[in-house]
Amino acid sequence: MSQWERLQQLDSVYLQKVDELYSQEELPMDVRHYLAHWIESQDWARASQDMSVASILFQVLLEELDKQHSRFVQEGKTFLQQCKFRRFKHNFQRYQEQPHNLANIILWFMMKERDILQSAQLAEQVQLLQVTQNTVETDNQRNIGSLMSNLRTKVQGMEHNIKSLEEQQDEFDFKYQTRMMEEQHAQQMKILQHLLNRLNSSRKLLMSDLTEVLGLAEQLLTVLVNVELPEWKRRQQKFCIGAREDVQLQLLESWFTSEAECLFQVRKFLKKVEELTAKVSYENDPFKIQKPALQNKVDSLLTTLLKSALVVESQPSMPQGRGPLVLRTNVQFSVKIRLLVKVPELNHVMKVTVSMDRYRRFNVLGNSTKALNMIESNNGGMVADFRHLTLKEKKAGGGGKGVNDVSCGTHFDTNCINCTSTHCLYTLYITSVHTTTSLPVVITSGTSQQQSAWASILWFNMLCTDAGNVNFFANSPMATWPQLAEMLSWQFLSITDRGLNSDQLHMIAQKLFGQQQNYDSCRISWSKFSKENVPNTNFSFYVWFDGILMLVKNYLENLWNDGYIMGFVSKGKEKSLLKKMQSGTFLLRFSESIRDGGITFSWIEYFDDGKPNVRSVQPFTKVDLTQIPFSEIIHNFQILEAENVPENPLKFLYPNIPKDDAFGKYYTVKSGGEELGTRISFC
């Protein structure tokens, strides 16, 4: 199947891109359509570099246009189509003297078509992956839903069973009391014994049903507490460091609430059992024998459920902070707590207290105690939303340097969020202490520590699934390259619409590990990631990477989202790419030698003897980009050529996008590029 036929089979969103591509007149869509087979069978890349080949293809193209015009005449096609092709041939004749320019144009269209096809293919693969993932999630949800439905059905059925048993007991009790006031007869005793046997069987059956219900509840609780909740917490960890994970709690909350309602209902049944036992009991009474164990079981399940249900919905963060989990003394931060059991009786009853009590002692200032309530939640959940807390470190006694001088970097403090309440539920007084712990936070005393603090947060949450492991950095494990690559891509996804592609990640891997056939088995230590200087520099890998990230976030986001910044590409790779392209082709890459991030462009030109010459300019930093947008720098960049005539050497963004097509929408009326160009040095 030809490339053109594959394009025509794409979804409407990609057909729209094809239509937009051919809205330009350089290559009319009619010509592309009717000459599709011939166009795709030619070597346009060679023609763009070889004038003789370009001349031949140019003449053949004109002949093909004539042939198609003749077909229209023979087939009786509309006069309009015939006129169109005469006009197309006339327009193409302007390339008579420079046929290689036309070859370049057709080559560019072919490459853009391939880009559209690749985008569609990638989208299809992502959709397939999402469908597969959603199928797995649906299966898990269906399994839990089935267990939950079964549990509720059994609990509802037991209400009828208890009412029936109560009627049996009333019948036995009435006849027994009547017998006590009358003479005893063998026949009456036989009837009473029959009623007692039936009552005993019903009590045994009820105890058996209660045991089965609690077994099912325990099975469901195990799945919720040991599988679903940890998976959510792991997703939240990844979400905190930039991953696009689903961290909504509505589904978990509905499951926890349903289980709690069933357990509370079982407690009501056991209370009824206690009342029935007080009225009628006998030797080997199953109510008397089994009820204490069942009571302990349901109370234990309920306690486990309630303690597990207290979670940190939104991790501690500052409004203007670098990211969640990095806090600064004397600066306000927020944290939100949720109880995954929606019980109206607990509204405004359960108190939550925020404190920090590990390693270093901090006072939590502000309203650090609040009641769980349903007002601060969008869906009526039990929430305590702390929005105006601050940390102040306690002074150490004995004078000297105060301990307010907080050292940052690899030291974590665990933000312990404690919940203590006394409440009455279904005639049961429960005094319980529920404790949940946020992910480890790094506490800084100044903005200069934010970068190293965030590096610690990234490393911890990438590798550690035990949120309580505050000694993690005492013996930090190494990260594999696939783990690190995924996390680095998340950083760009968290601030832009585009992560890192395989080529960009390959360059980073090569920078870290040298040339390798495969990087999957490569490992990197915490020290090499964040502490050790990159060879021939005075900064670490993370400082370099983070500087680029901030440069993109603050000055280059639109160009990055458009895919115009190749960015992570070595000088050697850059030269090998440009040497194959037409003169004036340029690409944008990040500097490897600037601490706080720099971006430069390199372009290809050719000497008179045909040898390629790749030239670059000194990288632009945030100081430069604060003064003038990067798109304007590219637009106005000039160098002095022969006879001191200024010329902009940047013609085509790699591989062959006309410069103004790529950056034109970002140009402004202001200039100033000449002034900036006077201080550019080549490297």
Side-chain angles (χ1 to χ4, degrees):
M1 183 183 298
S2 70
Q3 181 170 300
W4 185 247
E5 289 173 328
R6 289 165 59 200
L7 284 168
Q8 295 177 67
Q9 294 181 2
L10 296 179
D11 290 339
S12 58
V13 63
Y14 295 101
L15 288 176
Q16 179 65 28
K17 291 183 178 181
V18 174
D19 186 61
E20 291 172 358
L21 175 64
Y22 283 97
S23 63
Q24 306 174 53
E25 285 299 317
E26 285 84 355
L27 180 61
M29 185 182 288
D30 294 58
V31 173
R32 177 67 180 96
H33 178 75
Y34 286 102
L35 303 187
H37 178 73
W38 179 82
I39 289 174
E40 291 181 31
S41 64
Q42 309 309 313
D43 189 352
W44 298 106
R46 182 183 174 189
S48 67
Q49 302 293 329
D50 190 328
M51 181 65 76
S52 61
V53 175
S55 297
I56 293 172
L57 288 183
F58 176 76
Q59 293 301 324
V60 176
L61 173 61
L62 297 182
E63 293 173 7
E64 290 294 326
L65 292 172
D66 285 335
K67 290 178 183 178
Q68 188 58 47
H69 178 270
S70 298
R71 291 191 194 100
F72 287 153
V73 174
Q74 294 171 6
E75 295 169 3
K77 291 289 185 180
T78 64
F79 176 75
L80 183 61
Q81 284 286 64
Q82 299 173 35
C83 290
K84 274 186 178 181
F85 268 70
R86 281 200 298 268
R87 187 176 75 252
F88 294 155
K89 180 181 178 181
H90 175 74
N91 291 341
F92 280 134
Q93 286 176 341
R94 69 179 183 271
Y95 296 103
Q96 182 78 42
E97 300 300 324
Q98 294 180 315
H100 66 284
N101 287 344
L102 178 59
N104 261 316
I105 290 172
I106 298 177
L107 176 63
W108 182 81
F109 275 87
M110 296 298 98
M111 295 181 71
K112 295 302 291 184
E113 286 182 6
R114 284 194 286 273
D115 288 345
I116 294 173
L117 285 170
Q118 289 173 359
S119 297
Q121 184 179 13
L122 178 60
E124 184 179 355
Q125 292 172 348
V126 170
Q127 185 177 14
L128 180 62
L129 179 60
Q130 290 175 340
V131 169
T132 303
Q133 291 174 337
N134 290 338
T135 301
V136 173
E137 292 171 358
T138 302
D139 288 343
N140 291 338
Q141 293 169 9
R142 188 181 297 113
N143 181 43
I144 294 174
S146 178
L147 288 172
M148 191 69 72
S149 178
N150 193 13
L151 177 62
R152 284 196 297 261
T153 300
K154 288 183 178 298
V155 169
Q156 291 168 2
M158 287 185 65
E159 288 193 67
H160 174 73
N161 295 341
I162 288 179
K163 288 180 181 178
S164 298
L165 187 145
E166 187 175 14
E167 291 174 358
Q168 289 182 28
Q169 180 167 311
D170 288 343
E171 180 185 5
F172 170 80
D173 187 46
F174 174 76
K175 292 187 176 180
Y176 177 78
Q177 296 297 335
T178 302
R179 180 193 64 81
M180 293 294 292
M181 293 183 293
E182 298 176 351
E183 294 184 6
Q184 299 184 13
H185 298 287
Q187 185 62 28
Q188 290 176 325
M189 291 297 294
K190 189 174 181 180
I191 293 174
L192 285 173
Q193 187 62 50
H194 171 74
L195 292 175
L196 182 60
N197 290 342
R198 190 178 69 165
L199 179 62
N200 187 62
S201 296
S202 297
R203 285 189 171 188
K204 285 182 178 180
L205 182 60
L206 181 62
M207 291 292 101
S208 176
D209 289 344
L210 282 170
T211 301
E212 183 181 355
V213 164
L214 290 179
L216 186 59
E218 184 175 28
Q219 180 184 356
L220 184 57
L221 182 64
T222 299
V223 174
L224 293 180
V225 173
N226 297 337
V227 179
E228 293 298 322
L229 189 57
E231 286 183 359
W232 175 83
K233 289 182 177 180
R234 182 56 184 159
R235 290 199 302 273
Q236 190 190 47
Q237 272 191 283
K238 294 179 180 180
F239 178 79
C240 285
I241 58 173
R244 294 183 175 178
E245 295 281 352
D246 180 9
V247 293
Q248 298 298 312
L249 282 168
Q250 282 79 359
L251 192 58
L252 264 179
E253 186 178 62
S254 68
W255 289 338
F256 270 78
T257 300
S258 293
E259 169 120 354
E261 289 172 347
C262 289
L263 290 174
F264 281 129
Q265 192 67 21
V266 170
R267 293 196 75 261
K268 287 178 65 177
F269 295 157
L270 290 175
K271 184 64 177 176
K272 189 65 177 179
V273 164
E274 186 178 347
E275 294 172 0
L276 293 175
T277 305
K279 292 180 180 180
V280 174
S281 187
Y282 46 87
E283 188 176 355
N284 295 324
D285 182 358
F287 275 10
K288 245 183 180 179
I289 295 172
Q290 298 180 40
K291 192 263 182 183
L294 293 176
Q295 187 70 61
N296 290 336
K297 184 72 171 179
V298 70
D299 288 349
S300 174
L301 293 177
L302 198 51
T303 300
T304 300
L305 180 70
L306 290 173
K307 286 186 175 181
S308 303
L310 194 67
V311 298
V312 182
E313 180 176 3
S314 298
Q315 294 291 332
S317 62
M318 299 185 298
Q320 302 301 323
R322 178 60 192 276
L325 306 171
V326 177
L327 305 181
R328 183 178 170 186
T329 53
N330 302 315
V331 175
Q332 286 188 350
F333 71 94
S334 63
V335 62
K336 183 188 288 187
I337 316 303
R338 180 181 288 265
L339 186 69
L340 296 176
V341 177
K342 293 200 290 187
V343 183
E345 288 84 346
L346 290 178
N347 193 28
H348 293 287
V349 173
M350 212 168 186
K351 304 288 184 180
V352 179
T353 300
V354 175
S355 63
M356 298 199 69
D357 54 6
R358 288 187 184 239
Y359 296 102
R360 294 175 293 181
R361 303 294 298 180
F362 286 89
N363 286 322
V364 179
L365 306 182
N367 185 11
S368 59
T369 299
K370 293 186 71 173
L372 288 166
N373 65 87
M374 296 181 173
I375 298 176
E376 295 181 326
S377 168
N378 293 329
N379 66 339
M382 304 291 293
V383 169
D385 193 358
F386 298 88
R387 301 182 182 180
H388 307 291
L389 301 177
T390 55
L391 295 175
K392 186 175 180 63
E393 192 171 13
K394 295 180 180 179
K395 291 285 186 179
K401 187 177 181 180
V403 296
N404 275 341
D405 297 322
V406 181
S407 60
C408 173
T410 61
H411 188 80
F412 279 80
D413 286 293
T414 303
N415 183 17
C416 296
I417 301 168
N418 303 313
C419 173
T420 306
S421 67
T422 303
H423 49 273
C424 177
L425 289 174
Y426 302 105
T427 72
L428 173 69
Y429 284 90
I430 303 175
T431 302
S432 57
V433 178
H434 306 280
T435 302
T436 188
T437 303
S438 76
L439 292 168
V441 300
V442 178
I443 304 173
T444 70
S445 57
T447 55
S448 63
Q449 299 165 330
Q450 291 279 306
Q451 188 179 60
S452 59
W454 184 240
S456 301
I457 295 299
L458 293 176
W459 194 262
F460 179 91
N461 289 288
M462 173 177 61
L463 297 177
C464 187
T465 57
D466 179 9
N469 185 4
V470 293
N471 295 316
F472 172 79
F473 282 97
N475 186 24
S476 171
M478 300 182 79
T480 65
W481 167 243
Q483 288 174 316
L484 181 64
E486 184 178 48
M487 184 270 282
L488 294 178
S489 187
W490 290 344
Q491 302 317 293
F492 275 87
L493 275 175
S494 67
I495 63 169
T496 71
D497 296 332
R498 183 184 291 266
L500 300 177
N501 62 33
S502 58
D503 290 335
Q504 292 164 334
L505 289 170
H506 185 273
M507 179 272 180
I508 296 173
Q510 187 174 349
K511 183 180 182 67
L512 287 170
F513 307 111
Q515 187 65 43
Q516 305 281 343
Q517 288 285 355
N518 188 293
Y519 293 96
D520 288 351
S521 60
C522 293
R523 300 164 72 84
I524 182 173
S525 67
W526 160 243
S527 179
K528 186 173 182 180
F529 172 74
S530 179
K531 303 297 181 184
E532 300 173 8
N533 288 342
V534 175
N536 303 317
T537 71
N538 62 348
F539 48 83
S540 68
F541 166 79
Y542 178 71
V543 168
W544 170 75
F545 180 85
D546 191 58
I548 291 172
L549 191 68
M550 292 300 100
L551 196 72
V552 170
K553 177 182 179 181
N554 295 322
Y555 306 103
L556 304 169
E557 182 178 356
N558 289 332
L559 300 183
W560 177 265
N561 286 337
D562 289 340
Y564 294 153
I565 300 176
M566 190 174 293
F568 295 99
V569 55
S570 66
K571 289 184 178 180
K573 180 69 172 179
E574 169 194 70
K575 289 184 178 180
S576 68
L577 292 174
L578 289 176
K579 283 165 65 175
K580 303 174 184 178
M581 308 310 296
Q582 61 183 310
S583 182
T585 301
F586 67 100
L587 58 78
L588 314 178
R589 68 174 179 86
F590 299 128
S591 169
E592 296 184 63
S593 60
I594 296 180
R595 176 188 182 94
D596 296 324
I599 187 169
T600 184
F601 45 78
S602 301
W603 70 94
I604 182 70
E605 58 186 24
Y606 293 89
F607 294 114
D608 293 338
D609 61 2
K611 290 184 178 180
N613 179 31
V614 176
R615 304 179 69 180
S616 301
V617 296
Q618 181 179 342
F620 300 91
T621 66
K622 61 182 178 182
V623 175
D624 303 312
L625 301 182
T626 300
Q627 299 175 29
I628 182 171
F630 194 51
S631 56
E632 289 297 323
I633 293 175
I634 294 172
H635 182 209
N636 297 312
F637 177 71
Q638 293 180 339
I639 58 175
L640 295 178
E641 292 293 356
E643 300 180 358
N644 290 328
V645 177
E647 179 181 335
N648 191 328
L650 310 179
K651 306 298 182 184
F652 304 97
L653 178 66
Y654 183 91
N656 53 11
I657 306 174
K659 177 189 64 178
D660 292 342
D661 288 355
F663 304 101
K665 61 183 176 182
Y666 300 116
Y667 294 161
T668 63
V669 295
K670 296 180 180 179
S671 183
E674 295 83 355
E675 296 179 4
L676 187 62
T678 60
R679 61 181 186 81
I680 291 175
S681 62
F682 294 93
C683 56

